[in-house]
Amino acid sequence: MEQNSDWKYKYSDSLKQKIAYNPKTGVIVTEDGVEYSSQENAILRKKASPTPLCVHLIKKVFKGLIIE
């Protein structure tokens, strides 16, 4: 994962991979290339924080969008 000064980086225990978070936009990008919008992040924080691995894998496989 290429480092960018606008992003914060950490390891997600629930997703078992590195993630990049942009505090300005609220976007999260995982090491395996899945992008979560700020709206998706807000939904996940309300419903299932941290993001369950099964939700992440479904989003990845189907290139889905998380909605309420």
Side-chain angles (χ1 to χ4, degrees), residues 1-55:
M1 182 176 283
E2 188 175 317
Q3 300 276 324
N4 182 314
S5 63
D6 292 339
W7 294 73
K8 306 292 181 198
Y9 299 87
K10 70 177 228 171
Y11 183 82
S12 170
D13 290 325
S14 64
L15 300 180
K16 300 183 182 359
Q17 61 186 301
K18 292 179 188 174
I19 62 169
Y21 171 71
N22 186 318
K24 293 178 184 176
T25 64
V27 172
I28 290 177
V29 179
T30 63
E31 191 172 21
D32 63 356
V34 177
E35 184 174 310
Y36 292 87
S37 69
S38 59
Q39 294 84 7
E40 290 175 303
N41 291 330
I43 292 167
L44 287 169
R45 278 194 302 274
K46 282 193 272 183
K47 304 286 183 185
S49 186
T51 303
L53 184 57
C54 61
V55 171

